[in-house]
Amino acid sequence: MIGLQWGDEAKGKIVDILTEQHDIVVRYQGGNNAGHTVVCQGQTYKLSLLPVGVLNPRVTSVIGPGVVVNPKALESEISMLAGRGVNVGQNLLISDRAHVIFPYHIAEEAAFERSRGNEAIGTTGRGIGTCYRDKIGRIHAMRVGDLLRPVSFKSRLKDVVDYKNTILKALTPGFEALDAEAIATEYLAHAERFKPHVTDTTSFLHKALANGKRLIFEGAQGSLLDIDHGSFPYVTSSNSSGSGLHNGSGVPERHLTKIIGVVKAYTTRVGGGPFPTELDNPTGEHIRKIGREYGTVTGRPRRCGWFDGVASSYGGRVSGVTCVAIMLLDVLSELDEIGICTHYEINGERTADFPSHVEDLAAAKPVYRMLPGWKQDISGVKKLADFPARARAYIDTIADLMGVPVTLLSVGPDREQTVML
Ligand code: GDP
Ligand code: IMO
Ligand code: MG
């Protein structure tokens, strides 16, 4: 289950619904930059690092090797849920291979973002990119498994913190040096509590597959935020398209039977970077208001715009989706007409390809097909035949552009407001 746009496609809702048919829910990339909302029986849950499966006591939830883990954030998410009567218990497994986010990652990211001024990426400020950078760089990285070896962990952490303090002092005026001893004490205390959950999740998943268990993989972010395939450099630091599933979980793609791409019926984006179909006008504000488009993690207003068929279908091709779910259709119900971008015009040339260079994406002028709005409340629709003809025409246009069948339509945040096809 993979987002095909710039994130927040309502992946949380889909995974929650599909969890019923599965035994294991796996997160395999990203970290607590994600914010996945689940609404059921009048309750709203916002999950960040924990897989949506934790809401269902019957399933096992896995945080795979490709995820970056902030132990403090993980612990506060678990206690937030406990406070609401959801006990995560032994059903949560954390890969010993997953990398760990430290306070210096967050401080470094803040310094880098500041230094970019108007060109800041607009990150979530969670130390995601700096942690992945250390993972790829190898020298300063630490994994969950390292936290369970206190002696070597403490000595390595001291070296890393010394190095990071040097860098951070140079980057940040008045920077107060981080205390390696204090960080070690805090992280080892977290590790002691997490110990029962930490395991080789790759081996666990391989055995589960051999035993016929049903797995669902919960993508975070979206395909256009993918570090290799997205709108670089305005992306996140993991492979958030389908391409990250194998390396982030250790489960090869030949085990997948279905790849569901999730799109909004329009487009949103949080943070910086070009956004060809952005509506910086009252229509964009209307979508933001009706769709309650404010970031789950940072509370920032999301930038809103028309459905971008060039970007979303590219996301679908990169992720290899076999079908698509169209979400938040109800948000468009009051509009007189609705735009769908079918092509870009870049420097006078028309194209249906998503540009690889950020300057071309910034120069892209969307070519729209305008469709009449359906001007009718659809939030209670239960089957395809009950959608107004104009809404069906809108859905068909998106399906044509995506080139794969539509498997699910969503007309409201609640589980019940879902039409399965
Ligand atoms: P995710 O990051 O992909 O899981 O998406 P978010 O949870 O960040 O954002 C999706 C938002 O849309 C959440 O507030 C959901 O409760 C809400 N939502 C999901 N499906 C629908 C829908 O069909 N209609 C409306 N109006 N809201 C929806
Ligand atoms: P979910 O899983 C939307 C965006 C940030 C920023 C860029 C890089 O809820 O869809 P990062 O902190 O990852 O280094 O920020 O990516 N971003 C998201 N946007 N939904 C998300 O997650 C996002 N996670 C990161 O806003 O533009
Ligand atoms: Mg989100």
Side-chain angles (χ1 to χ4, degrees):
M1 199 284 321
I2 290 152
L4 302 187
Q5 297 162 319
W6 279 283
D8 302 326
E9 298 90 346
K11 300 176 292 291
K13 171 172 169 167
I14 305 247
V15 176
D16 174 58
I17 289 172
L18 297 179
T19 293
E20 308 263 309
Q21 305 162 26
H22 294 83
D23 305 302
I24 301 170
V25 181
V26 187
R27 269 284 304 268
Y28 54 89
Q29 45 72 226
N32 63 324
N33 49 348
H36 298 172
T37 314
V38 174
V39 181
C40 61
Q41 290 161 351
Q43 297 283 318
T44 300
Y45 299 95
K46 291 182 185 294
L47 298 169
S48 197
L49 184 53
L50 291 170
V52 162
V54 295
L55 298 175
N56 185 331
R58 190 189 52 78
V59 307
T60 301
S61 290
V62 170
I63 293 178
V67 176
V68 285
V69 176
N70 179 328
K72 195 173 175 178
L74 182 59
E75 200 147 338
S76 65
E77 204 172 331
I78 291 173
S79 15
M80 177 275 289
L81 285 177
R84 299 186 56 187
V86 178
N87 287 307
V88 168
Q90 261 321 99
N91 286 344
L92 174 70
L93 301 178
I94 306 166
S95 171
D96 54 359
R97 292 182 172 93
H99 281 252
V100 178
I101 297 177
F102 287 91
Y104 45 78
H105 288 131
I106 295 167
E108 282 178 306
E109 182 176 319
F112 295 144
E113 281 284 86
R114 260 196 316 273
S115 74
R116 281 180 67 96
N118 283 343
E119 292 184 336
I121 290 169
T123 68
T124 59
R126 301 293 191 265
I128 304 292
T130 37
C131 181
Y132 277 119
R133 188 206 50 195
D134 279 347
K135 162 176 160 171
I136 300 299
R138 296 160 299 177
I139 311 298
H140 302 111
M142 243 144 348
R143 309 201 293 180
V144 169
D146 296 325
L147 298 182
L148 302 183
R149 296 159 195 259
V151 177
S152 53
F153 169 71
K154 273 191 189 163
S155 115
R156 282 201 53 220
L157 185 70
K158 187 174 176 324
D159 291 346
V160 175
V161 170
D162 281 351
Y163 172 85
K164 297 286 184 184
N165 276 336
T166 311
I167 304 270
L168 281 163
K169 270 186 210 156
L171 290 173
T172 317
F175 182 76
E176 215 169 286
L178 294 165
D179 178 350
E181 193 94 11
I183 299 174
T185 307
E186 185 192 339
Y187 274 59
L188 289 173
H190 286 302
E192 197 50 40
R193 290 188 288 268
F194 289 147
K195 220 176 187 170
H197 302 280
V198 177
T199 190
D200 178 346
T201 58
T202 309
S203 161
F204 169 82
L205 292 178
H206 291 169
K207 287 178 187 139
L209 283 164
N211 290 325
K213 298 286 184 204
R214 296 158 305 173
L215 278 54
I216 180 163
F217 295 86
E218 175 183 346
Q221 289 83 51
S223 301
L224 306 175
L225 288 170
D226 185 288
I227 184 74
D228 290 305
H229 309 292
S231 50
F232 191 88
Y234 296 96
V235 293
T236 190
S237 295
S238 65
N239 283 118
S240 52
S241 70
S243 76
L245 198 152
H246 181 173
N247 65 315
S249 67
V251 175
E253 278 170 30
R254 70 181 173 86
H255 292 286
L256 304 182
T257 51
K258 194 183 270 186
I259 307 179
I260 306 174
V262 190
V263 295
K264 273 182 175 155
Y266 48 95
T267 312
T268 61
R269 181 159 204 191
V270 225
F275 177 2
T277 64
E278 182 166 18
L279 294 168
D280 195 5
N281 62 20
T283 307
E285 276 160 36
H286 173 82
I287 294 176
R288 185 177 308 118
K289 182 170 148 244
I290 306 294
R292 284 182 277 179
E293 293 293 359
Y294 293 87
T296 312
V297 174
T298 56
R300 291 177 288 180
R302 293 176 182 153
R303 301 157 67 191
C304 299
W306 294 135
F307 184 83
D308 185 338
V310 176
S312 305
S313 66
Y314 166 75
R317 288 191 297 280
V318 163
S319 291
V321 299
T322 56
C323 54
V324 67
I326 307 176
M327 314 300 285
L328 293 108
L329 274 161
D330 54 297
V331 173
L332 305 178
S333 292
E334 290 171 28
L335 296 170
D336 295 326
E337 55 172 6
I338 309 171
I340 291 187
C341 167
T342 58
H343 294 85
Y344 292 157
E345 220 174 76
I346 303 175
N347 305 324
E349 293 215 13
R350 189 178 268 222
T351 178
D353 285 336
F354 188 74
S356 49
H357 200 284
V358 68
E359 287 178 14
D360 289 336
L361 186 63
K365 293 195 179 59
V367 178
Y368 290 118
R369 186 180 305 167
M370 296 308 294
L371 278 81
W374 46 90
K375 308 275 286 178
Q376 198 176 315
D377 182 10
I378 55 168
S379 61
V381 168
K382 297 279 181 235
K383 53 183 199 292
L384 187 61
D386 294 343
F387 276 98
R390 286 174 168 182
R392 289 190 63 168
Y394 187 75
I395 294 161
D396 290 345
T397 308
I398 292 183
D400 276 354
L401 284 166
M402 298 305 296
V404 289
V406 176
T407 188
L408 183 156
L409 300 166
S410 177
V411 293
D414 202 273
R415 264 188 204 175
E416 305 298 317
Q417 294 173 297
T418 312
V419 179
M420 299 279 196
L421 305 182

